[in-house]
Structure formats: structure tokens, C-alpha cells
């Protein structure tokens, strides 16, 4: 069974939405409560390569966090998409499973305000220590120079 079908079969009751964007790109919308189960299976059991995670601000109500994994041997990319409340964007850190996610989680915390719960090192990463709390430069309502 190919890994895409394997994910669909294993998590058939936990997939909110499955979208085949192209023959090589798949998006799977999931609840944040199920994230670690999906990541554990895709990364450790199916041996997908972790590529990166990204975040998108979608005012007025949510932020999306996208976790990108590649099945290099078959040339396919799977993206797990989690939707978070914009006023309290929190999701479990995948860093205990995927060590390589530590820095990008810290970066997304700085620039979008997403809190990654149980992250091993939640210090600021790219913004200076004196950056104002609650100001996130990649949120769509942030105006350059608003704090000067």
C-alpha cells in the first residue's frame, strides 16, 4: 500500500478533510489534538522526510500551521494542516518527535504568535529580546513602524 493510502486508512476517522492538490501534493486537514499521532506515524512509521512547517494568518479568526513531509521514494508531499484560534493559537510541539522542527517552531512563535506547547526551548529566536509582547510582524494586522 502506498503511504498516502496508508495514512488515509489508518486515520480515516480523524481526517477532517483530504485534498489532492495535484498528483504529487496532498493536504490533510486535522484537529490539533490529533497532530502528534499523525506526525508519529508519518515520520517514524512511514519514514517520510520532514521538510518544514509554515504558518499563515487568516484574519479575522484563525491561523493555519502546515507541516510538510516528503515521501522522496515516490515523489509525493503530504501537508498536515491544523487550524488554530487566532486569539489563542496553541498547538503541541512536534519537536519531541522531529528534532529538526525546533527552530522553525520558535521562528513561527516569534513572527505569528503561535505557542508550541511542550517545546524544549521556547526562547525567542529571530526577534530581539526587547521586541514588544503581543506584536507579531507576519500577522496581517501588524503595521510596520506602529511601535516607534
Amino acid at each position: 500500500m502506498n503511504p498516502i493510502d496508508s495514512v488515509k486508512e489508518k486515520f480515516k476517522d480523524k481526517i477532517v478533510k483530504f485534498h489532492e492538490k495535484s498528483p504529487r501534493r496532498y493536504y490533510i486537514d486535522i484537529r490539533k489534538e490529533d497532530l502528534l499521532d499523525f506526525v508519529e506515524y508519518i515520520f517514524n512509521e512511514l519514514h517520510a522526510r520532514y521538510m518544514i512547517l509554515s504558518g499563515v494568518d487568516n484574519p479575522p479568526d484563525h491561523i493555519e500551521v502546515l507541516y510538510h513531509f516528503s515521501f522522496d521514494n515516490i515523489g509525493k508531499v503530504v501537508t498536515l494542516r491544523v487550524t488554530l484560534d487566532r486569539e489563542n493559537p496553541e498547538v503541541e510541539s512536534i519537536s519531541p518527535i522531529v528534532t529538526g522542527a525546533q527552530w522553525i517552531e520558535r521562528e513561527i512563535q516569534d513572527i505569528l504568535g503561535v505557542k508550541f506547547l511542550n517545546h524544549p526551548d521556547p526562547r525567542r529566536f529571530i526577534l530581539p529580546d526587547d521586541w514588544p509582547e503581543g506584536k507579531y510582524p507576519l500577522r496581517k494586522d501588524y503595521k510596520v513602524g506602529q511601535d516607534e
Side-chain angles (χ1 to χ4, degrees), residues 96-108:
I97 301 168
V98 183
T99 306
Q102 286 186 26
W103 287 4
I104 191 65
E105 285 182 343
R106 287 174 60 195
E107 182 176 331
I108 289 174

Side-chain angles (χ1 to χ4, degrees), residues 10-11 26 34 37 39 53 66 69 82 88 95 119 136:
K10 179 168 180 66
F11 296 105
Y26 303 88
D34 297 323
D37 291 339
V39 171
L53 67 103
L66 301 108
F69 293 89
V82 177
N88 188 28
S95 293
H119 191 283
Y136 306 109

